[in-house]
């Protein structure tokens, strides 16, 4: 070291020197010097470089598509220049005016919005009644089979929502739609349109599908409720209604409101159920209106609709976040003396158990049983022994135009299954690894703004309904942009969209895991000479293998049954199981479509069970947390 540098080091180290009774005060470093020093320290850590690369990747995969979609709503699209009388790419208010203020805005936006809100309100009301009752029975009473029902009654959420829609149309289908008749019509009863299609069936199905939200969120809150509070109020003379109004409801309100908000957010982006049961009677919701405009190449109108759906979703999830913060005001402080005593049902014990069994039958047994029986019947609704056949599974030379063999012998099925496993598998593994890296950076980086940005940007897709997020990807990758070619029609766009869409789950699993892992094991390995990659392979990943498994399995289960992303971005050559089954629905091949849906439901259900087994968790407890 030179003499000049030694002098400067001594100057920094010594805060003051005393010479002939005089105190010499050192000059503090400037802001630019401090910034340069912190930058040098940060760049020594591999977490900073990894974080910068991850931030750039997620900005491109998440933020840029959304900005591209929103810009499409403000610029003239190809094919509309004559109608708008402006050149392609110029700024315009035409699409916003067309969606919100034109003569056709009622059909494009306002009526679908009213339909969406009415379906969501009905689904919330029914799911709160059913799910709230079941949550109380499971959490606070001595009902028979509580442990079994605690898991069985959340199975509906593990299945694709449109499983129930196909079961409904198998039972109640009438002559409004072509193809084979429904079971009721086969036995001589023709259901009216209001029962077969439209708002009523869509509302009932979504209520059954999302009741597990209420069971989980409300049930977990009830389990934490100290029954001594209730006993104390009754000793002081309060009646049951007073106890419920003054004590129980204030403590339960945050969990109930959160369940309502989450159900609304889910209903906002739900596509499959309204598509199957709404389109036959022109019952449009926002998701189906967006899909129809994208299908008819109305890019600008679709961008406005997607932006409106995204805005409503962001507001909804923001409200939920506020409710979660509000929940901290209603925390009961308990210890070993706190009690969660079960209320005896007495003579109502058997009827309560019967009600839980009936809801399981309606939400799981009846739909799955109906779909399976429909796949082994030649003529729907006829239960004669000679009417049963396995031809639609393994038969050959079927009397159909586009499907000559049973579904298990069809090359289209196996191509779709291979595409599903390949696309969803690669996306899930990638998102799980990226989620763990995001958690590592958030927990370890000395650059706190970088960690904050990664935490927020990876959560952003959760605020955007899937159908709107797919529209954003279509906007960005439908045409070449710089060195990036047009990806529409390839499996790569499906993988990228699924990776980005599932990052909220993967990143939260990684952040939660890395926050709980101290630095000591890594520091010991670093002292022994291990580099960053060796430390990750030998220490971090083995310790966090449970969280990595969760970060992979959750996106896999969600992706294998997902429809909203794929229905916009997939083409016939990149068909996955969900889009293949929907195409069979359009062709009115009821038996084949139902068989594919059963395969999807089986993959989703057993994937969830495998996830519980590998991570040693209980979905009935974990999902609510």
């Amino acid at each position: 070291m030179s003499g000049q540098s030694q002098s400067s080091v001594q100057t920094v180290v010594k805060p003051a020197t005393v010479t002939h009774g005089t105190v010499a005060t050192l000059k503090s470093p400037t802001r630019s010097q401090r910034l340069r020093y912190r930058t040098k320290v940060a760049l020594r850590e591999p977490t900073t470089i990894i974080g910068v690369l991850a931030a750039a990747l997620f900005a491109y995969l998440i933020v840029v598509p959304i900005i591209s979609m929103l810009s499409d709503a403000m610029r003239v699209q190809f094919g509309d220049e004559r109608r708008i009388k402006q050149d392609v790419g110029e700024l315009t208010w035409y699409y916003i005016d067309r969606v919100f203020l034109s003569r056709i805005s009622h059909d494009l936006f306002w009526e679908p919005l009213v339909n969406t809100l009415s379906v969501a309100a009905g689904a919330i009301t029914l799911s709160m009644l059913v799910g709230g009752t079941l949550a109380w029975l499971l959490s606070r009473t001595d009902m028979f089979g509580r442990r079994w029902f605690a898991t069985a009654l959340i199975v509906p959420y593990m299945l694709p929502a449109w499983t129930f829609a196909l079961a409904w149309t198998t039972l109640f289908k009438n002559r409004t739609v072509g193809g084979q008749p429904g079971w009721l019509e086969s036995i001589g009863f023709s259901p009216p349109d209001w029962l077969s299609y439209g708002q009523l069936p869509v509302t009932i199905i979504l209520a059954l599908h999302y009741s597990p939200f209420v069971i989980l969120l409300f049930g977990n809150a009830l389990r934490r409720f100290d029954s001594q509070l209730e006993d104390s109020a009754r000793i002081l003379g309060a009646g049951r209604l007073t106890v419920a109004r003054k004590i129980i409801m204030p403590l339960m309100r945050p969990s109930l409101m959160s369940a309502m908000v989450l159900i609304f957010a889910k209903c906002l982006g739900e596509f499959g159920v309204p598509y199957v049961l709404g389109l036959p009677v022109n019952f449009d919701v926002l998701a189906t209106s967006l899909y129809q405009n994208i299908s008819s190449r109305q890019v600008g109108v679709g961008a406005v609709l997607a932006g409106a759906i995204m805005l409503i979703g962001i507001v909804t999830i923001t409200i939920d976040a506020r409710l979660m913060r509000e929940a901290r005001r209603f925390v009961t402080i308990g210890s070993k003396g706190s009690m969660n005593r079960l209320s005896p049902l007495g003579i109502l014990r058997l009827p309560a158990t019967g009600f839980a069994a009936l809801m399981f039958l309606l939400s799981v047994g009846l739909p799955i049983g109906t779909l399976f029986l429909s796949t082994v019947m030649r003529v729907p609704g006829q239960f004669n022994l000679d009417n049963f056949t396995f031809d639609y599974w393994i038969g050959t030379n079927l009397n159909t135009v586009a499907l000559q063999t049973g579904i298990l012998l069809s090359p289209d099925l196996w191509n779709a299954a291979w595409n599903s496993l390949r696309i969803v598998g690669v996306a899930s593994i990638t998102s799980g690894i990226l989620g763990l890296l995001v958690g590592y950076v958030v927990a370890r980086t000395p650059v706190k703004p970088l960690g904050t940005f990664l935490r927020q940007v990876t959560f952003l897709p959760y605020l955007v309904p899937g159908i709107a997020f797919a529209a954003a990807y279509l906007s960005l990758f439908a045409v070449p942009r710089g060195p990036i070619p047009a990806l529409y029609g390839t499996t790569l766009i499906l993988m990228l969209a699924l990776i980005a869409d599932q990052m909220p789950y993967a990143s939260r699993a990684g952040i939660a895991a890395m926050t709980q892992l101290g630095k000591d094991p890594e520091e010991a390995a670093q002292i022994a000479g291990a580099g960053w990659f060796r430390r990750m392979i030998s220490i971090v990943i083995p310790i966090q293998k449970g969280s990595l498994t969760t970060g992979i399995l959750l996106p896999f289960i969600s992706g294998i049954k997902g429809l909203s992303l794929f229905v916009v971005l997939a083409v016939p050559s990149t068909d996955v199981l969900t889009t293949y089954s929907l195409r069979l629905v359009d062709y009115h091949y009821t038996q084949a479509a139902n068989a594919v849906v059963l395969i999807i439901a089986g993959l989703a259900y057993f994937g969830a069970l495998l996830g519980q087994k590998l991570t040693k968790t209980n979905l009935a407890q974990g999902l609510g947390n």
Side-chain angles (χ1 to χ4, degrees), residues 78-116:
F78 179 78
D80 293 334
E81 58 270 22
R82 288 187 178 180
R83 183 190 310 166
I84 303 177
K85 298 179 180 178
Q86 289 181 263
D87 293 332
V88 175
E90 289 188 1
L91 292 176
T92 180
W93 289 97
Y94 173 79
Y95 300 115
I96 295 176
D97 181 77
R98 185 175 177 83
V99 171
F100 297 121
L101 302 174
S102 71
R103 290 178 297 176
I104 64 171
S105 62
H106 176 268
D107 297 328
L108 284 177
F109 180 76
W110 296 112
E111 185 177 6
L113 175 62
V114 171
N115 291 339
T116 302

Side-chain angles (χ1 to χ4, degrees), residues 14-82:
K14 293 184 179 181
T17 52
V18 180
T19 306
H20 301 294
T22 304
V23 177
T25 305
L26 294 176
K27 184 179 180 181
S28 60
T30 64
R31 177 178 294 181
S32 61
Q33 289 175 330
R34 289 198 302 267
L35 181 61
R36 272 200 307 271
Y37 174 74
R38 290 175 181 174
T39 303
K40 288 181 180 179
V41 172
L43 290 177
R44 292 176 187 171
E45 294 290 333
T47 52
T48 305
I49 299 175
I50 296 170
V52 170
L53 294 176
L57 175 66
F58 291 126
Y60 184 73
L61 292 182
I62 297 174
V63 179
V64 174
I66 294 175
I67 294 175
S68 175
M69 178 195 68
L70 295 178
S71 69
D72 284 346
M74 302 290 294
R75 295 184 180 276
V76 179
Q77 302 300 310
F78 179 78
D80 293 334
E81 58 270 22
R82 288 187 178 180

Side-chain angles (χ1 to χ4, degrees), residues 162 166 169 173 177-180 275-276 375 392-393 398 400-408 410-414 416 563 567 575-600:
W162 40 282
L166 292 182
T169 194
K173 186 178 180 181
V177 177
Q180 292 183 336
Y275 181 84
V276 173
T375 64
Y392 297 107
W393 286 95
L398 300 182
T400 52
V401 176
L403 195 65
Q404 298 292 323
T405 64
I407 197 67
L408 292 180
S410 171
D412 292 338
L413 171 74
W414 295 108
L563 179 61
V567 76
D575 252 345
V576 293
L577 286 172
T578 50
T579 55
Y580 177 57
S581 64
L582 204 63
R583 189 148 51 86
L584 292 172
V585 170
D586 292 337
Y587 292 159
H588 304 299
Y589 291 161
T590 305
Q591 289 94 338
N594 291 350
V596 176
V597 170
L598 285 175
I599 294 172
I600 297 170

Side-chain angles (χ1 to χ4, degrees), residues 220-489:
N220 285 339
L222 284 171
R223 290 187 191 97
R224 294 192 298 266
F225 178 72
D226 188 355
S227 55
Q228 290 184 95
L229 298 174
E230 187 177 356
D231 294 341
S232 300
R234 289 182 178 175
I235 291 172
L236 295 174
R240 290 182 179 272
L241 291 178
T242 302
V243 171
R245 184 168 54 88
K246 296 286 189 178
I247 298 177
I248 298 178
M249 288 309 298
L251 293 173
M252 298 299 107
R253 189 183 301 122
S255 62
L256 289 174
M257 292 297 296
S258 182
M260 294 171 62
V261 171
L262 287 176
I263 293 172
F264 176 80
K266 293 292 184 179
C267 291
L268 182 67
E270 179 58 45
F271 170 79
V273 176
Y275 181 84
V276 173
L277 295 175
L279 290 188
V281 290
N282 296 320
F283 182 81
D284 271 330
V285 295
L286 288 175
T288 54
S289 179
L290 171 60
Y291 174 73
Q292 288 176 328
N293 280 277
I294 292 176
S295 300
S296 59
R297 302 189 181 277
Q298 297 294 319
V299 178
V301 171
V304 175
L305 288 172
I309 296 173
M310 183 181 69
L311 179 61
I312 299 173
I314 291 175
V315 171
T316 302
I317 302 301
T318 303
I319 293 173
D320 180 63
R322 280 187 170 274
L323 291 174
M324 287 296 96
R325 288 198 296 269
E326 183 73 9
R328 298 174 185 174
R329 295 177 52 195
F330 300 99
V331 176
T332 57
I333 301 175
S335 60
K336 292 183 179 180
S338 64
M339 297 176 60
N340 182 13
R341 185 175 57 252
L342 300 179
S343 302
L345 291 173
I347 61 173
L348 296 178
R349 192 179 188 190
L350 191 59
T353 306
F355 173 70
L358 176 63
M359 295 312 303
F360 176 77
L361 178 65
L362 291 176
S363 60
V364 179
L366 184 60
I368 298 298
T370 299
L371 291 181
F372 176 74
L373 287 176
S374 72
T375 64
V376 295
M377 287 182 176
R378 288 190 178 91
V379 180
Q382 293 187 11
F383 292 88
N384 302 325
L385 189 60
D386 58 354
N387 188 45
F388 288 94
T389 178
F390 282 99
D391 284 351
Y392 297 107
W393 286 95
I394 56 174
T396 57
N397 299 320
L398 300 182
N399 188 23
T400 52
V401 176
L403 195 65
Q404 298 292 323
T405 64
I407 197 67
L408 292 180
L409 301 181
S410 171
D412 292 338
L413 171 74
W414 295 108
N415 287 335
W418 168 243
N419 285 339
S420 292
L421 294 176
R422 179 165 56 99
I423 293 169
V424 177
V426 170
S428 301
I429 293 172
T430 305
S431 60
I433 294 173
L434 289 176
L436 189 64
L437 288 176
V438 168
Y440 185 85
V441 172
V442 170
R444 297 286 192 268
T445 182
V447 184
K448 296 305 178 184
L450 181 61
T452 302
F453 175 79
L454 282 175
R455 183 191 294 267
Q456 298 299 329
V457 77
T458 54
F459 186 71
L460 183 59
Y462 191 79
L463 306 178
V464 184
I467 192 82
F469 198 68
Y473 260 68
L474 186 64
S475 170
L476 181 64
F477 294 110
V479 295
R481 294 183 185 273
I484 307 298
L487 300 180
Y488 180 66

